[in-house]
Amino acid sequence: GDAAEDARQVSDSLAEDKSGGEVEEAQLEEQLSSLSENVVLKERLIEELMRSQREWGEAKAQYQARTEQLQSELEETQKQLDSVKAKLDESVGVKEQVKQAAEEEKRRLEKQVQEQLKTLKSKQQEFERLKENKTSEHRRVKDLELEVVQMKNHQAELDRKLQLERKRETQQIQ
């Protein structure tokens, strides 16, 4: 990428003109400065993404706890519904009024079960979306860390060339 292109330009310029030492030195210093700025920016971005990863860990734990709570509430409501259904089945000969109350309770609980299922499913989908975003963010961090390593290697290479150029200039002056 940019690092390879910068290195190619530096070596091209060194090969082309051995006498333009000051120009080459200025170019190397400029490239080194630019590279240093880019390294700092990418390191800041990595820090920001890592902080975001830590926050994700906290949010993930909260989502999981809430999902477990919803699951537990759903199971409890389902038990209540099963109990009402069993009473209804037993109450074949019971008064119509008692049976009607049990039917209403059954409908209420069935509706509650459906709402809880819907809420649980929604929370799980939201959690999955967040998880996918964090996975891609994690890959981005790894890519940026690799770029920073490459940029620092390029920085060292430019530094070495700059030192050689200065040494050559000093020898030419003498």
Side-chain angles (χ1 to χ4, degrees):
D2 293 336
E5 181 62 28
D6 289 345
R8 200 168 22 263
Q9 288 174 354
V10 168
S11 45
D12 288 351
S13 67
L14 286 173
E16 285 173 12
D17 182 14
K18 299 287 184 191
S19 64
E22 289 176 20
V23 171
E24 290 169 30
E25 186 176 324
Q27 287 174 340
L28 286 171
E29 286 174 350
E30 186 179 316
Q31 288 176 348
L32 204 50
S33 171
S34 172
L35 202 51
S36 294
E37 289 173 24
N38 284 332
V39 166
V40 168
L41 290 174
K42 292 209 178 188
E43 286 175 334
R44 282 187 193 147
L45 181 56
I46 289 170
E47 287 172 20
E48 183 67 25
L49 290 170
M50 296 303 282
R51 186 180 56 71
S52 175
Q53 289 286 358
R54 285 189 297 278
E55 291 171 358
W56 160 246
E58 295 165 9
K60 180 180 173 184
Q62 291 173 354
Y63 263 97
Q64 288 173 328
R66 178 66 176 136
T67 300
E68 289 170 12
Q69 177 189 355
L70 289 169
Q71 188 71 41
S72 178
E73 290 172 5
L74 176 62
E75 289 168 8
E76 185 57 38
T77 304
Q78 189 67 51
K79 286 179 189 172
Q80 291 173 5
L81 178 58
D82 293 344
S83 171
V84 168
K85 285 180 179 177
K87 286 179 187 173
L88 272 175
D89 291 343
E90 294 170 8
S91 69
V92 174
V94 181
K95 295 180 186 172
E96 192 59 35
Q97 187 179 12
V98 172
K99 193 171 182 176
Q100 190 175 1
E103 282 288 348
E104 286 177 19
E105 178 69 1
K106 177 185 155 199
R107 282 191 295 276
R108 183 187 70 76
L109 288 171
E110 285 173 337
K111 183 177 178 188
Q112 190 175 343
V113 164
Q114 290 306 312
E115 288 172 0
Q116 288 174 335
L117 274 172
K118 183 178 172 186
T119 301
L120 181 60
K121 187 175 182 178
S122 168
K123 283 288 176 195
Q124 288 169 333
Q125 288 171 340
E126 187 176 340
F127 179 75
E128 284 304 313
R129 278 193 304 274
L130 286 171
K131 196 162 82 171
E132 287 171 17
N133 287 344
K134 289 301 159 188
T135 300
S136 88
E137 199 172 270
H138 181 71
R139 278 193 303 269
R140 177 83 173 117
V141 167
K142 293 296 174 205
D143 291 345
L144 286 169
E145 288 173 337
L146 181 62
E147 278 184 49
V148 166
V149 167
Q150 291 170 338
M151 291 169 83
K152 285 182 175 182
N153 288 341
H154 184 197
Q155 223 174 354
E157 169 99 9
L158 286 176
D159 236 353
R160 188 182 57 75
K161 287 183 179 180
L162 188 57
Q163 296 308 318
L164 283 173
E165 186 61 34
R166 288 180 179 156
K167 187 176 178 183
R168 200 174 70 219
E169 269 183 44
T170 306
Q171 289 171 349
Q172 285 177 353
I173 292 172
Q174 294 172 351

